[in-house]
Amino acid sequence: VAALGAVEPPLLSQVSATLRAVTGCEVGRLPELARPAYAFNKDRAQFHVAAILRRLAALRGKEAAVPVLGVTDADLFVPDAPFVFGESDRSELAAVVSVARLRGEPPVEAELLLRRISAEAMHQLGHLIGLLHCQDARCAMFQAQRVADVDRKRPGLCGTCRTAAGLTE
Ligand SMILES: [Zn+2]
Ligand SMILES: [Zn+2]
């Protein structure tokens, strides 16, 4: 897990704790990286996910089997969507999630934001370990289109997804 620019420390801690709790795997922390200015698109005033994923993938170096997840407050986009909560590249084992659309206006309380970013981080890590989208609206692998969808989720995986990922109860 790596912060891309300044991110509140509790967010990173909570994301790490959630990923560790759900997968049972060790979750390490990389040094903070710069806010992804290289990915900024002036016309959209947003940050292009593909450029960020390439940088994150390059960070992994030779340790090919360890997924890397970036957490940022930069507002992310892909060309065919107004925004994304996060994105992943399974072949590169790299993913990124953003709090930009999860924070809300006015900003939600810290606890709720932690829950939201944890669910979306687990969603992207789920893709990196081979999971597809899930129909269970309470599962982290449900595809959230709106913040309300995120709020219905729990940060964990449903039984079907756990089995699919080879995780034991
Ligand atoms: Zn997804
Ligand atoms: Zn599921």
Side-chain angles (χ1 to χ4, degrees):
V1 174
L4 300 171
V7 173
E8 302 97 304
L11 286 178
L12 286 185
S13 307
Q14 184 63 46
V15 163
S16 299
T18 297
L19 301 182
R20 192 178 298 121
V22 176
T23 64
C25 295
E26 267 313 303
V27 178
R29 188 86 63 83
L30 291 168
E32 182 180 320
L33 303 166
R35 198 156 190 268
Y38 53 84
F40 190 70
N41 179 303
K42 277 205 195 91
D43 295 331
R44 297 187 54 140
Q46 289 178 300
F47 295 79
H48 197 312
V49 153
I52 298 173
L53 292 179
R54 270 198 302 277
R55 287 283 180 106
L56 287 174
L59 271 185
R60 279 196 0 260
K62 299 271 178 263
E63 291 178 66
V66 183
V68 59
L69 174 86
V71 181
T72 185
D73 70 352
D75 189 20
L76 306 175
F77 80 96
V78 293
D80 58 356
F83 72 90
V84 289
F85 296 126
E87 185 65 85
S88 56
D89 180 337
R90 188 173 178 213
S91 61
E92 295 290 353
L93 285 181
V96 62
V97 288
S98 171
V99 295
R101 301 279 170 161
L102 300 177
R103 227 186 260 288
E105 191 55 45
V108 295
E109 56 183 89
E111 190 114 339
L112 180 55
L113 184 60
L114 290 179
R115 193 184 147 96
R116 288 175 175 175
I117 192 69
S118 298
E120 290 313 295
M122 187 57 230
H123 182 97
Q124 297 307 336
L125 181 66
H127 283 314
L128 296 187
I129 61 177
L131 293 176
L132 302 174
H133 287 146
C134 177
Q135 298 306 313
D136 183 342
R138 302 211 295 171
C139 174
M141 291 315 294
F142 184 81
Q143 186 176 27
Q145 313 277 6
R146 290 168 292 273
V147 175
D149 297 332
V150 179
D151 286 344
R152 243 179 296 132
K153 294 188 195 187
R154 287 180 298 202
L157 298 171
C158 73
T160 308
C161 288
R162 290 192 67 82
T163 304
L167 298 169
T168 49
E169 284 306 319

